[in-house]
Amino acid sequence: MFKKREEVAVIIQARLASQRVPEKMIRPFAKTTLLDVLFEKLSQLKSISIKQVYISAYDEPIKDVAKKHNLKIFHRSRESAFEETKMPIIFEWYDKLPNQYKYVIIISACNPLLKVETIDNFIEEFLESEESGLFAVIPKKTYYWDSNGKAITDWKGSPGMNTKYVDLVYEAAHCLYASRLDLIEKGYWMSDKLPEGLSLFEMEELEAFDIDYEWQFRVGEKLYEEFMDPRTR
């Protein structure tokens, strides 16, 4: 049985407490901000109503941006905004959303190259899936070693290091996540406890460009201006 569209909430987690790139959510970015970039995309979604989108925020400047886009606000606690590791605190909305919601989709605002079409495809795939969760990944064919220097890549007896012989692996895209809310309440996704029936959603690596460091903010801005900004097309 397919998931009901109206039972899905979309959550955007945002805060100003980032230490590596201070206030990256509202800093000038290609004559806009990372938050505005994502919120504009959300207004163009065909898969789900903008009325089902919540911005989880503690900081007033972030709430102001959300209000400008007429988005619903989950008023995040100060403890949640400054927490770094405890997921039940970071995801404190998991048992506080309106009862109509049975599923949640989390979208990161740190990936400015993420396309509207990709978000729509992710949501539709989750809605049509029987699985309990969906996780965006980047397909990779390359070589990996563990911390002891031991190769963990199997290249199937290739005479040389040729990636066409390498088994396909998947890297977390860190931008799109989906789950049943009751699983989060039971502790799944809160640590290393992942639910059974998790499906992987393959996406392009460029779209998953993630801004965690200052150099990525600067590079991401240039990439956005070249590939995404409608004013440069």
mmCIF file of all heavy atoms in Angstrom, residues 70-114:
data_model
loop_
_atom_site.group_PDB
_atom_site.id
_atom_site.type_symbol
_atom_site.label_atom_id
_atom_site.label_comp_id
_atom_site.label_asym_id
_atom_site.label_seq_id
_atom_site.Cartn_x
_atom_site.Cartn_y
_atom_site.Cartn_z
ATOM 1 N N ASN A 70 6.544 32.271 3.812
ATOM 2 C CA ASN A 70 5.269 31.724 4.303
ATOM 3 C C ASN A 70 5.359 30.253 4.679
ATOM 4 O O ASN A 70 4.437 29.466 4.419
ATOM 5 C CB ASN A 70 4.163 31.928 3.255
ATOM 6 C CG ASN A 70 3.879 33.389 2.993
ATOM 7 O OD1 ASN A 70 3.753 34.184 3.926
ATOM 8 N ND2 ASN A 70 3.796 33.761 1.729
ATOM 9 N N LEU A 71 6.466 29.884 5.292
ATOM 10 C CA LEU A 71 6.658 28.504 5.728
ATOM 11 C C LEU A 71 6.258 28.342 7.191
ATOM 12 O O LEU A 71 6.381 29.272 7.996
ATOM 13 C CB LEU A 71 8.119 28.090 5.560
ATOM 14 C CG LEU A 71 8.625 27.966 4.125
ATOM 15 C CD1 LEU A 71 10.099 27.611 4.117
ATOM 16 C CD2 LEU A 71 7.837 26.919 3.363
ATOM 17 N N LYS A 72 5.814 27.155 7.539
ATOM 18 C CA LYS A 72 5.509 26.849 8.924
ATOM 19 C C LYS A 72 6.808 26.705 9.708
ATOM 20 O O LYS A 72 7.826 26.268 9.167
ATOM 21 C CB LYS A 72 4.697 25.559 9.019
ATOM 22 C CG LYS A 72 3.310 25.672 8.433
ATOM 23 C CD LYS A 72 2.551 24.358 8.584
ATOM 24 C CE LYS A 72 1.144 24.489 8.019
ATOM 25 N NZ LYS A 72 0.405 23.202 8.123
ATOM 26 N N ILE A 73 6.761 27.082 10.968
ATOM 27 C CA ILE A 73 7.962 27.047 11.806
ATOM 28 C C ILE A 73 7.751 26.106 12.982
ATOM 29 O O ILE A 73 6.754 26.202 13.700
ATOM 30 C CB ILE A 73 8.311 28.451 12.327
ATOM 31 C CG1 ILE A 73 8.614 29.396 11.156
ATOM 32 C CG2 ILE A 73 9.498 28.396 13.296
ATOM 33 C CD1 ILE A 73 8.770 30.846 11.566
ATOM 34 N N PHE A 74 8.682 25.176 13.159
ATOM 35 C CA PHE A 74 8.752 24.408 14.391
ATOM 36 C C PHE A 74 9.756 25.133 15.275
ATOM 37 O O PHE A 74 10.926 25.256 14.907
ATOM 38 C CB PHE A 74 9.207 22.964 14.138
ATOM 39 C CG PHE A 74 9.382 22.169 15.405
ATOM 40 C CD1 PHE A 74 8.304 21.534 15.990
ATOM 41 C CD2 PHE A 74 10.623 22.100 16.038
ATOM 42 C CE1 PHE A 74 8.454 20.822 17.172
ATOM 43 C CE2 PHE A 74 10.778 21.398 17.213
ATOM 44 C CZ PHE A 74 9.692 20.755 17.786
ATOM 45 N N HIS A 75 9.306 25.612 16.416
ATOM 46 C CA HIS A 75 10.151 26.438 17.260
ATOM 47 C C HIS A 75 11.112 25.548 18.068
ATOM 48 O O HIS A 75 10.773 25.003 19.111
ATOM 49 C CB HIS A 75 9.296 27.307 18.174
ATOM 50 C CG HIS A 75 8.481 28.306 17.414
ATOM 51 N ND1 HIS A 75 9.000 29.498 16.959
ATOM 52 C CD2 HIS A 75 7.189 28.265 16.986
ATOM 53 C CE1 HIS A 75 8.070 30.165 16.307
ATOM 54 N NE2 HIS A 75 6.966 29.442 16.306
ATOM 55 N N ARG A 76 12.291 25.456 17.534
ATOM 56 C CA ARG A 76 13.343 24.605 18.090
ATOM 57 C C ARG A 76 13.872 25.191 19.398
ATOM 58 O O ARG A 76 13.978 26.411 19.541
ATOM 59 C CB ARG A 76 14.470 24.535 17.052
ATOM 60 C CG ARG A 76 15.554 23.536 17.276
ATOM 61 C CD ARG A 76 16.495 23.580 16.075
ATOM 62 N NE ARG A 76 17.556 22.577 16.188
ATOM 63 C CZ ARG A 76 18.509 22.397 15.274
ATOM 64 N NH1 ARG A 76 18.517 23.175 14.194
ATOM 65 N NH2 ARG A 76 19.422 21.472 15.444
ATOM 66 N N SER A 77 14.233 24.335 20.343
ATOM 67 C CA SER A 77 14.768 24.811 21.612
ATOM 68 C C SER A 77 16.224 25.233 21.458
ATOM 69 O O SER A 77 16.909 24.829 20.510
ATOM 70 C CB SER A 77 14.674 23.715 22.677
ATOM 71 O OG SER A 77 15.565 22.653 22.373
ATOM 72 N N ARG A 78 16.692 26.044 22.386
ATOM 73 C CA ARG A 78 18.086 26.449 22.381
ATOM 74 C C ARG A 78 18.995 25.234 22.528
ATOM 75 O O ARG A 78 20.044 25.141 21.893
ATOM 76 C CB ARG A 78 18.368 27.455 23.504
ATOM 77 C CG ARG A 78 19.768 28.057 23.458
ATOM 78 C CD ARG A 78 20.015 29.032 24.592
ATOM 79 N NE ARG A 78 21.261 29.748 24.414
ATOM 80 C CZ ARG A 78 22.468 29.233 24.694
ATOM 81 N NH1 ARG A 78 22.564 27.997 25.169
ATOM 82 N NH2 ARG A 78 23.571 29.947 24.495
ATOM 83 N N GLU A 79 18.589 24.304 23.380
ATOM 84 C CA GLU A 79 19.382 23.082 23.586
ATOM 85 C C GLU A 79 19.565 22.328 22.268
ATOM 86 O O GLU A 79 20.657 21.868 21.947
ATOM 87 C CB GLU A 79 18.699 22.178 24.605
ATOM 88 C CG GLU A 79 19.476 20.889 24.887
ATOM 89 C CD GLU A 79 18.730 19.954 25.821
ATOM 90 O OE1 GLU A 79 17.508 20.136 25.993
ATOM 91 O OE2 GLU A 79 19.361 19.036 26.361
ATOM 92 N N SER A 80 18.509 22.215 21.496
ATOM 93 C CA SER A 80 18.586 21.524 20.216
ATOM 94 C C SER A 80 19.508 22.249 19.243
ATOM 95 O O SER A 80 20.301 21.633 18.530
ATOM 96 C CB SER A 80 17.188 21.406 19.599
ATOM 97 O OG SER A 80 17.250 20.904 18.289
ATOM 98 N N ALA A 81 19.414 23.573 19.209
ATOM 99 C CA ALA A 81 20.209 24.360 18.265
ATOM 100 C C ALA A 81 21.699 24.267 18.535
ATOM 101 O O ALA A 81 22.511 24.421 17.615
ATOM 102 C CB ALA A 81 19.762 25.818 18.303
ATOM 103 N N PHE A 82 22.088 24.004 19.782
ATOM 104 C CA PHE A 82 23.506 23.954 20.129
ATOM 105 C C PHE A 82 24.015 22.525 20.345
ATOM 106 O O PHE A 82 25.208 22.324 20.583
ATOM 107 C CB PHE A 82 23.778 24.785 21.381
ATOM 108 C CG PHE A 82 23.777 26.271 21.121
ATOM 109 C CD1 PHE A 82 22.595 26.996 21.155
ATOM 110 C CD2 PHE A 82 24.950 26.933 20.786
ATOM 111 C CE1 PHE A 82 22.582 28.361 20.891
ATOM 112 C CE2 PHE A 82 24.951 28.293 20.515
ATOM 113 C CZ PHE A 82 23.762 29.012 20.564
ATOM 114 N N GLU A 83 23.128 21.539 20.251
ATOM 115 C CA GLU A 83 23.541 20.147 20.423
ATOM 116 C C GLU A 83 24.275 19.655 19.172
ATOM 117 O O GLU A 83 23.906 19.981 18.045
ATOM 118 C CB GLU A 83 22.304 19.263 20.681
ATOM 119 C CG GLU A 83 22.615 17.788 20.819
ATOM 120 C CD GLU A 83 23.619 17.494 21.919
ATOM 121 O OE1 GLU A 83 23.440 18.001 23.051
ATOM 122 O OE2 GLU A 83 24.589 16.763 21.636
ATOM 123 N N GLU A 84 25.345 18.867 19.363
ATOM 124 C CA GLU A 84 26.157 18.402 18.243
ATOM 125 C C GLU A 84 26.006 16.915 17.960
ATOM 126 O O GLU A 84 26.223 16.474 16.821
ATOM 127 C CB GLU A 84 27.648 18.700 18.514
ATOM 128 C CG GLU A 84 27.979 20.180 18.616
ATOM 129 C CD GLU A 84 27.956 20.891 17.283
ATOM 130 O OE1 GLU A 84 27.921 20.207 16.235
ATOM 131 O OE2 GLU A 84 27.942 22.143 17.277
ATOM 132 N N THR A 85 25.653 16.111 18.945
ATOM 133 C CA THR A 85 25.704 14.661 18.759
ATOM 134 C C THR A 85 24.424 13.903 19.133
ATOM 135 O O THR A 85 24.161 12.850 18.561
ATOM 136 C CB THR A 85 26.866 14.063 19.580
ATOM 137 O OG1 THR A 85 26.670 14.369 20.971
ATOM 138 C CG2 THR A 85 28.203 14.634 19.125
ATOM 139 N N LYS A 86 23.644 14.393 20.068
ATOM 140 C CA LYS A 86 22.490 13.639 20.562
ATOM 141 C C LYS A 86 21.288 13.868 19.643
ATOM 142 O O LYS A 86 20.606 14.888 19.711
ATOM 143 C CB LYS A 86 22.168 14.054 21.995
ATOM 144 C CG LYS A 86 23.292 13.752 22.974
ATOM 145 C CD LYS A 86 22.957 14.267 24.385
ATOM 146 C CE LYS A 86 24.100 13.999 25.345
ATOM 147 N NZ LYS A 86 23.822 14.554 26.704
ATOM 148 N N MET A 87 21.016 12.873 18.801
ATOM 149 C CA MET A 87 19.990 13.028 17.787
ATOM 150 C C MET A 87 18.576 13.204 18.344
ATOM 151 O O MET A 87 17.784 13.950 17.760
ATOM 152 C CB MET A 87 20.038 11.834 16.815
ATOM 153 C CG MET A 87 21.362 11.696 16.081
ATOM 154 S SD MET A 87 21.939 13.239 15.329
ATOM 155 C CE MET A 87 20.677 13.512 14.093
ATOM 156 N N PRO A 88 18.196 12.564 19.458
ATOM 157 C CA PRO A 88 16.852 12.834 19.989
ATOM 158 C C PRO A 88 16.635 14.296 20.355
ATOM 159 O O PRO A 88 15.502 14.784 20.326
ATOM 160 C CB PRO A 88 16.790 11.941 21.237
ATOM 161 C CG PRO A 88 17.734 10.827 20.950
ATOM 162 C CD PRO A 88 18.870 11.486 20.204
ATOM 163 N N ILE A 89 17.729 15.000 20.694
ATOM 164 C CA ILE A 89 17.619 16.425 20.995
ATOM 165 C C ILE A 89 17.628 17.238 19.699
ATOM 166 O O ILE A 89 16.830 18.168 19.525
ATOM 167 C CB ILE A 89 18.770 16.875 21.920
ATOM 168 C CG1 ILE A 89 18.665 16.146 23.269
ATOM 169 C CG2 ILE A 89 18.746 18.388 22.123
ATOM 170 C CD1 ILE A 89 19.801 16.437 24.224
ATOM 171 N N ILE A 90 18.498 16.878 18.777
ATOM 172 C CA ILE A 90 18.571 17.584 17.493
ATOM 173 C C ILE A 90 17.259 17.434 16.723
ATOM 174 O O ILE A 90 16.734 18.383 16.148
ATOM 175 C CB ILE A 90 19.750 17.054 16.664
ATOM 176 C CG1 ILE A 90 21.083 17.376 17.369
ATOM 177 C CG2 ILE A 90 19.740 17.651 15.253
ATOM 178 C CD1 ILE A 90 22.291 16.737 16.721
ATOM 179 N N PHE A 91 16.696 16.202 16.738
ATOM 180 C CA PHE A 91 15.431 15.920 16.058
ATOM 181 C C PHE A 91 14.263 15.970 17.050
ATOM 182 O O PHE A 91 13.393 15.114 17.041
ATOM 183 C CB PHE A 91 15.474 14.539 15.402
ATOM 184 C CG PHE A 91 16.376 14.433 14.219
ATOM 185 C CD1 PHE A 91 16.677 13.202 13.688
ATOM 186 C CD2 PHE A 91 16.939 15.557 13.622
ATOM 187 C CE1 PHE A 91 17.506 13.073 12.587
ATOM 188 C CE2 PHE A 91 17.771 15.445 12.526
ATOM 189 C CZ PHE A 91 18.057 14.193 12.000
ATOM 190 N N GLU A 92 14.217 16.996 17.863
ATOM 191 C CA GLU A 92 13.213 17.027 18.932
ATOM 192 C C GLU A 92 11.784 17.136 18.423
ATOM 193 O O GLU A 92 10.825 16.966 19.175
ATOM 194 C CB GLU A 92 13.511 18.181 19.894
ATOM 195 C CG GLU A 92 13.432 19.556 19.265
ATOM 196 C CD GLU A 92 13.772 20.679 20.229
ATOM 197 O OE1 GLU A 92 13.980 20.384 21.413
ATOM 198 O OE2 GLU A 92 13.837 21.833 19.785
ATOM 199 N N TRP A 93 11.597 17.392 17.135
ATOM 200 C CA TRP A 93 10.271 17.477 16.533
ATOM 201 C C TRP A 93 9.647 16.100 16.328
ATOM 202 O O TRP A 93 8.463 15.985 16.006
ATOM 203 C CB TRP A 93 10.346 18.181 15.166
ATOM 204 C CG TRP A 93 11.525 17.770 14.342
ATOM 205 C CD1 TRP A 93 12.691 18.462 14.179
ATOM 206 C CD2 TRP A 93 11.680 16.562 13.585
ATOM 207 N NE1 TRP A 93 13.556 17.765 13.370
ATOM 208 C CE2 TRP A 93 12.962 16.587 12.993
ATOM 209 C CE3 TRP A 93 10.876 15.447 13.350
ATOM 210 C CZ2 TRP A 93 13.453 15.558 12.190
ATOM 211 C CZ3 TRP A 93 11.352 14.410 12.558
ATOM 212 C CH2 TRP A 93 12.620 14.475 11.986
ATOM 213 N N TYR A 94 10.419 15.020 16.498
ATOM 214 C CA TYR A 94 9.982 13.692 16.048
ATOM 215 C C TYR A 94 8.663 13.236 16.686
ATOM 216 O O TYR A 94 7.918 12.458 16.084
ATOM 217 C CB TYR A 94 11.072 12.644 16.300
ATOM 218 C CG TYR A 94 11.261 12.234 17.742
ATOM 219 C CD1 TYR A 94 10.555 11.171 18.288
ATOM 220 C CD2 TYR A 94 12.172 12.915 18.558
ATOM 221 C CE1 TYR A 94 10.737 10.799 19.617
ATOM 222 C CE2 TYR A 94 12.354 12.548 19.869
ATOM 223 C CZ TYR A 94 11.636 11.490 20.398
ATOM 224 O OH TYR A 94 11.820 11.130 21.706
ATOM 225 N N ASP A 95 8.350 13.707 17.895
ATOM 226 C CA ASP A 95 7.091 13.328 18.546
ATOM 227 C C ASP A 95 6.194 14.540 18.819
ATOM 228 O O ASP A 95 5.276 14.461 19.620
ATOM 229 C CB ASP A 95 7.358 12.576 19.846
ATOM 230 C CG ASP A 95 8.132 13.405 20.874
ATOM 231 O OD1 ASP A 95 8.633 14.496 20.513
ATOM 232 O OD2 ASP A 95 8.241 12.965 22.029
ATOM 233 N N LYS A 96 6.460 15.647 18.126
ATOM 234 C CA LYS A 96 5.713 16.882 18.389
ATOM 235 C C LYS A 96 5.005 17.442 17.158
ATOM 236 O O LYS A 96 4.333 18.472 17.246
ATOM 237 C CB LYS A 96 6.651 17.948 18.969
ATOM 238 C CG LYS A 96 7.316 17.549 20.283
ATOM 239 C CD LYS A 96 8.278 18.619 20.771
ATOM 240 C CE LYS A 96 8.952 18.219 22.079
ATOM 241 N NZ LYS A 96 9.824 17.017 21.920
ATOM 242 N N LEU A 97 5.159 16.791 16.016
ATOM 243 C CA LEU A 97 4.456 17.249 14.819
ATOM 244 C C LEU A 97 2.976 16.900 14.913
ATOM 245 O O LEU A 97 2.587 16.012 15.673
ATOM 246 C CB LEU A 97 5.075 16.592 13.573
ATOM 247 C CG LEU A 97 6.511 17.001 13.233
ATOM 248 C CD1 LEU A 97 7.034 16.147 12.083
ATOM 249 C CD2 LEU A 97 6.604 18.473 12.888
ATOM 250 N N PRO A 98 2.110 17.591 14.168
ATOM 251 C CA PRO A 98 0.684 17.257 14.181
ATOM 252 C C PRO A 98 0.441 15.775 13.906
ATOM 253 O O PRO A 98 1.173 15.145 13.126
ATOM 254 C CB PRO A 98 0.119 18.144 13.066
ATOM 255 C CG PRO A 98 1.036 19.323 13.034
ATOM 256 C CD PRO A 98 2.400 18.773 13.323
ATOM 257 N N ASN A 99 -0.604 15.224 14.513
ATOM 258 C CA ASN A 99 -0.869 13.784 14.448
ATOM 259 C C ASN A 99 -1.133 13.265 13.044
ATOM 260 O O ASN A 99 -1.055 12.054 12.806
ATOM 261 C CB ASN A 99 -2.055 13.432 15.350
ATOM 262 C CG ASN A 99 -1.721 13.591 16.822
ATOM 263 O OD1 ASN A 99 -0.564 13.488 17.220
ATOM 264 N ND2 ASN A 99 -2.731 13.861 17.639
ATOM 265 N N GLN A 100 -1.477 14.159 12.118
ATOM 266 C CA GLN A 100 -1.767 13.701 10.753
ATOM 267 C C GLN A 100 -0.539 13.117 10.063
ATOM 268 O O GLN A 100 -0.662 12.346 9.108
ATOM 269 C CB GLN A 100 -2.291 14.872 9.914
ATOM 270 C CG GLN A 100 -1.204 15.873 9.486
ATOM 271 C CD GLN A 100 -1.738 17.073 8.768
ATOM 272 O OE1 GLN A 100 -2.338 17.947 9.378
ATOM 273 N NE2 GLN A 100 -1.537 17.126 7.468
ATOM 274 N N TYR A 101 0.664 13.471 10.556
ATOM 275 C CA TYR A 101 1.876 13.054 9.874
ATOM 276 C C TYR A 101 2.368 11.705 10.380
ATOM 277 O O TYR A 101 2.543 11.499 11.581
ATOM 278 C CB TYR A 101 2.969 14.107 10.029
ATOM 279 C CG TYR A 101 2.595 15.424 9.380
ATOM 280 C CD1 TYR A 101 2.511 16.592 10.132
ATOM 281 C CD2 TYR A 101 2.309 15.494 8.022
ATOM 282 C CE1 TYR A 101 2.152 17.791 9.543
ATOM 283 C CE2 TYR A 101 1.949 16.688 7.424
ATOM 284 C CZ TYR A 101 1.874 17.835 8.188
ATOM 285 O OH TYR A 101 1.512 19.012 7.594
ATOM 286 N N LYS A 102 2.602 10.806 9.424
ATOM 287 C CA LYS A 102 3.131 9.473 9.732
ATOM 288 C C LYS A 102 4.543 9.283 9.185
ATOM 289 O O LYS A 102 5.237 8.344 9.552
ATOM 290 C CB LYS A 102 2.223 8.404 9.121
ATOM 291 C CG LYS A 102 0.760 8.481 9.574
ATOM 292 C CD LYS A 102 0.617 8.179 11.049
ATOM 293 C CE LYS A 102 -0.846 8.093 11.476
ATOM 294 N NZ LYS A 102 -1.568 9.372 11.360
ATOM 295 N N TYR A 103 4.952 10.194 8.308
ATOM 296 C CA TYR A 103 6.255 10.091 7.649
ATOM 297 C C TYR A 103 6.938 11.452 7.659
ATOM 298 O O TYR A 103 6.288 12.488 7.751
ATOM 299 C CB TYR A 103 6.102 9.619 6.199
ATOM 300 C CG TYR A 103 5.240 8.393 6.046
ATOM 301 C CD1 TYR A 103 3.874 8.518 5.752
ATOM 302 C CD2 TYR A 103 5.777 7.121 6.200
ATOM 303 C CE1 TYR A 103 3.075 7.400 5.622
ATOM 304 C CE2 TYR A 103 4.981 5.992 6.062
ATOM 305 C CZ TYR A 103 3.639 6.138 5.778
ATOM 306 O OH TYR A 103 2.846 5.027 5.659
ATOM 307 N N VAL A 104 8.253 11.416 7.536
ATOM 308 C CA VAL A 104 9.005 12.672 7.495
ATOM 309 C C VAL A 104 10.083 12.581 6.431
ATOM 310 O O VAL A 104 10.682 11.519 6.211
ATOM 311 C CB VAL A 104 9.627 12.997 8.872
ATOM 312 C CG1 VAL A 104 10.694 11.976 9.249
ATOM 313 C CG2 VAL A 104 10.217 14.408 8.882
ATOM 314 N N ILE A 105 10.287 13.692 5.749
ATOM 315 C CA ILE A 105 11.383 13.833 4.793
ATOM 316 C C ILE A 105 12.230 15.009 5.252
ATOM 317 O O ILE A 105 11.707 16.105 5.457
ATOM 318 C CB ILE A 105 10.862 14.056 3.367
ATOM 319 C CG1 ILE A 105 10.181 12.780 2.863
ATOM 320 C CG2 ILE A 105 12.001 14.460 2.426
ATOM 321 C CD1 ILE A 105 9.473 12.939 1.543
ATOM 322 N N ILE A 106 13.507 14.760 5.436
ATOM 323 C CA ILE A 106 14.439 15.811 5.862
ATOM 324 C C ILE A 106 15.263 16.239 4.659
ATOM 325 O O ILE A 106 15.837 15.399 3.956
ATOM 326 C CB ILE A 106 15.366 15.313 6.982
ATOM 327 C CG1 ILE A 106 14.540 14.787 8.161
ATOM 328 C CG2 ILE A 106 16.301 16.429 7.446
ATOM 329 C CD1 ILE A 106 15.383 14.131 9.248
ATOM 330 N N ILE A 107 15.308 17.533 4.420
ATOM 331 C CA ILE A 107 16.075 18.085 3.304
ATOM 332 C C ILE A 107 17.099 19.063 3.851
ATOM 333 O O ILE A 107 16.756 19.963 4.617
ATOM 334 C CB ILE A 107 15.162 18.795 2.289
ATOM 335 C CG1 ILE A 107 14.059 17.846 1.805
ATOM 336 C CG2 ILE A 107 15.980 19.317 1.108
ATOM 337 C CD1 ILE A 107 13.045 18.509 0.893
ATOM 338 N N SER A 108 18.340 18.892 3.461
ATOM 339 C CA SER A 108 19.406 19.766 3.936
ATOM 340 C C SER A 108 19.422 21.069 3.147
ATOM 341 O O SER A 108 19.210 21.081 1.928
ATOM 342 C CB SER A 108 20.767 19.068 3.797
ATOM 343 O OG SER A 108 21.819 19.967 4.063
ATOM 344 N N ALA A 109 19.697 22.169 3.842
ATOM 345 C CA ALA A 109 19.842 23.470 3.178
ATOM 346 C C ALA A 109 21.290 23.753 2.803
ATOM 347 O O ALA A 109 21.597 24.845 2.323
ATOM 348 C CB ALA A 109 19.315 24.577 4.088
ATOM 349 N N CYS A 110 22.167 22.784 3.013
ATOM 350 C CA CYS A 110 23.600 22.978 2.768
ATOM 351 C C CYS A 110 24.035 22.482 1.400
ATOM 352 O O CYS A 110 25.232 22.379 1.130
ATOM 353 C CB CYS A 110 24.417 22.269 3.847
ATOM 354 S SG CYS A 110 24.138 22.903 5.504
ATOM 355 N N ASN A 111 23.077 22.143 0.532
ATOM 356 C CA ASN A 111 23.393 21.593 -0.790
ATOM 357 C C ASN A 111 22.758 22.464 -1.866
ATOM 358 O O ASN A 111 21.703 22.120 -2.416
ATOM 359 C CB ASN A 111 22.888 20.157 -0.901
ATOM 360 C CG ASN A 111 23.368 19.283 0.241
ATOM 361 O OD1 ASN A 111 22.763 19.274 1.307
ATOM 362 N ND2 ASN A 111 24.450 18.578 0.038
ATOM 363 N N PRO A 112 23.349 23.599 -2.185
ATOM 364 C CA PRO A 112 22.713 24.564 -3.091
ATOM 365 C C PRO A 112 22.542 24.072 -4.521
ATOM 366 O O PRO A 112 21.767 24.649 -5.279
ATOM 367 C CB PRO A 112 23.658 25.773 -3.035
ATOM 368 C CG PRO A 112 24.986 25.194 -2.657
ATOM 369 C CD PRO A 112 24.667 24.083 -1.709
ATOM 370 N N LEU A 113 23.252 23.007 -4.911
ATOM 371 C CA LEU A 113 23.160 22.504 -6.280
ATOM 372 C C LEU A 113 22.085 21.435 -6.442
ATOM 373 O O LEU A 113 21.873 20.917 -7.536
ATOM 374 C CB LEU A 113 24.512 21.956 -6.739
ATOM 375 C CG LEU A 113 25.693 22.925 -6.632
ATOM 376 C CD1 LEU A 113 26.959 22.287 -7.166
ATOM 377 C CD2 LEU A 113 25.409 24.226 -7.378
ATOM 378 N N LEU A 114 21.396 21.118 -5.360
ATOM 379 C CA LEU A 114 20.309 20.151 -5.396
ATOM 380 C C LEU A 114 19.166 20.685 -6.257
ATOM 381 O O LEU A 114 18.703 21.803 -6.069
ATOM 382 C CB LEU A 114 19.824 19.887 -3.971
ATOM 383 C CG LEU A 114 18.753 18.824 -3.750
ATOM 384 C CD1 LEU A 114 19.227 17.455 -4.211
ATOM 385 C CD2 LEU A 114 18.355 18.796 -2.283
#
